């Protein structure tokens, strides 16, 4: 399949050393849209991470059983995540292996590795997971610098991601992220929200689904363009991740 090289979106970037075919996926120009519009052209202990809810939780304890809670979450049509970027991508590893490899405080393949290797993002800082106070939801913040190919405006833009994770025992886990572009006028009119659902497919494999939405927090004359570019960018971003994760976990 032929590949055309286009400008990367705000939160994506091609790199110099392709490692997977989707590295050269045709990307969009969300950063250029924003800039041109404006310029008129380890350890929080592992047991704390894991002990979010026990399987014994039941209605008599005032909590919904984890299985029922997960079924409701994973099967509902949530308007907050109306778009699907990846649907039921099968990855050969267990639920716990995926968590420890990619999302835990001591992850072997953390988000910083993905951002560095695949999109050339720099100065990636990831805080440790902290209990939100409900004994179930863990929170953290990710910040980094994203290079742009725009001829106008800044050559890098600061990105902030606010994430929370919920683990539903052996039934699944959910990672939700709100991505914000900091300090770039026009870009502050919207946020990108996504949710990754991971559940067992069988004994040796898990299933990954990525959902997202682009939510505008104030009016913008460039809403149609920003929304279109952001939607395509998120689809590309998670499609690449769904190819990257199985490849690196195979070497683990």
């Amino acid at each position: 399949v032929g590949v055309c090289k286009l400008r990367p979106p705000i939160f994506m970037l091609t790199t110099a050393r392709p490692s997977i075919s989707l590295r050269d996926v045709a990307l969009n120009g969300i950063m250029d849209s924003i800039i041109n519009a404006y310029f008129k052209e380890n350890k929080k202990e592992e047991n704390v991470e894991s002990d979010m809810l026990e399987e014994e939780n039941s209605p008599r304890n005032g909590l919904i059983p984890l299985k029922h809670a997960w079924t409701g979450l994973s099967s509902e049509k949530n308007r907050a995540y109306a778009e699907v970027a990846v649907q039921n991508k099968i990855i050969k590893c267990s639920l716990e292996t995926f968590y420890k490899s990619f999302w835990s405080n001591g992850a072997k393949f953390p988000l910083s590795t993905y951002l560095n290797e695949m999109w050339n993002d720099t100065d990636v800082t990831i805080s440790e997971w902290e209990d939100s106070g409900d004994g179930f939801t863990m929170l953290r913040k990710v910040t980094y610098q994203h290079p742009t190919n725009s001829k106008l405006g800044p050559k890098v833009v600061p990105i902030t991601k606010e994430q929370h994770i919920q683990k539903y025992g052996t039934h699944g886990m959910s990672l939700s992220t709100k991505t914000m572009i900091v300090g770039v006028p026009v870009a502050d009119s919207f946020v990108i929200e996504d949710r990754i659902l991971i559940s067992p497919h069988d004994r040796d494999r898990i299933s990954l689904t990525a959902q997202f939405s682009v939510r505008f927090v104030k009016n913008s004359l460039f809403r149609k363009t920003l929304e279109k570019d952001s939607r395509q960018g998120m689809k590309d971003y998670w499609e690449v991740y769904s190819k990257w994760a199985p490849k690196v976990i195979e070497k683990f």
Side-chain angles (χ1 to χ4, degrees):
V1 178
V3 175
C4 58
K5 295 184 178 179
L6 301 180
R7 294 183 297 271
I10 181 66
F11 41 82
M12 303 176 58
L13 192 69
T14 55
T15 59
R17 302 187 306 276
S19 61
I20 59 176
S21 60
L22 277 178
R23 172 75 66 77
D24 295 318
V25 68
L27 304 178
N28 59 74
I30 181 173
M31 190 60 226
D32 288 350
S33 298
I34 293 169
I35 296 300
N36 291 337
Y38 179 55
F39 288 93
K40 307 300 183 184
E41 198 193 44
N42 193 347
K43 288 260 184 190
K44 202 77 172 169
E45 282 84 64
E46 290 293 333
N47 65 322
V48 174
E49 296 182 78
S50 300
D51 296 343
M52 298 182 195
L53 273 186
E54 297 299 328
E55 190 62 54
E56 292 76 13
N57 287 334
S58 64
R60 76 175 188 276
N61 295 326
L63 296 171
I64 300 174
L66 293 183
K67 182 178 181 179
H68 295 168
W70 174 254
T71 300
L73 177 73
S74 59
S75 62
E76 70 177 347
K77 292 184 178 180
N78 193 324
R79 293 181 61 184
Y81 306 100
E83 302 275 349
V84 177
V86 176
Q87 183 73 51
N88 296 328
K89 170 67 178 182
I90 305 303
I91 299 176
K92 189 174 181 180
C93 70
S94 68
L95 194 67
E96 190 62 20
T97 295
F98 186 93
Y99 171 73
K100 290 181 177 180
S101 299
F102 297 103
W103 292 351
S104 69
N105 283 335
K108 186 175 181 63
F109 310 109
L111 180 59
S112 56
T113 299
Y114 176 64
L115 295 174
N116 289 151
E117 292 185 355
M118 304 308 298
W119 311 120
N120 273 358
D121 293 322
T122 59
D123 299 331
V124 182
T125 300
I126 304 177
S127 68
E128 292 192 343
W129 291 110
E130 296 184 357
D131 194 326
S132 66
D134 65 4
F136 179 50
T137 305
M138 303 291 286
L139 308 175
R140 75 178 182 184
K141 180 179 288 188
V142 181
T143 60
Y144 57 95
Q145 299 290 321
H146 176 74
T148 76
N149 287 340
S150 178
K151 295 180 180 179
L152 299 173
K155 298 303 179 183
V156 296
V157 293
I159 307 292
T160 295
K161 291 180 180 289
E162 295 177 351
Q163 298 187 313
H164 71 259
I165 189 171
Q166 296 175 326
K167 296 177 69 178
Y168 295 77
T170 59
H171 309 293
M173 54 186 174
S174 169
L175 177 68
S176 300
T177 303
K178 179 167 71 172
T179 301
M180 297 160 286
I181 304 163
V182 182
V184 179
V186 179
D188 64 357
S189 63
F190 70 98
V191 297
I192 301 169
E193 298 172 318
D194 62 78
R195 179 175 71 176
I196 311 306
L197 303 176
I198 306 290
S199 60
H201 179 73
D202 54 31
R203 183 175 180 179
D204 301 315
R205 298 179 295 173
I206 56 96
S207 172
L208 180 152
T209 293
Q211 307 164 327
F212 72 95
S213 67
V214 180
R215 180 168 62 86
F216 281 79
V217 295
K218 62 182 182 181
N219 293 330
S220 172
L221 294 175
F222 310 99
R223 174 167 179 159
K224 183 175 293 187
T225 298
L226 295 174
E227 185 171 28
K228 177 183 177 182
D229 290 344
S230 298
R231 289 173 63 191
Q232 185 59 51
M234 283 302 292
K235 290 179 180 179
D236 292 341
Y237 179 91
W238 284 113
E239 188 175 3
V240 170
Y241 188 89
S242 73
K243 298 293 185 180
W244 173 80
K247 286 184 177 294
V248 296
I249 200 71
E250 286 177 1
K251 302 174 183 178
F252 180 44

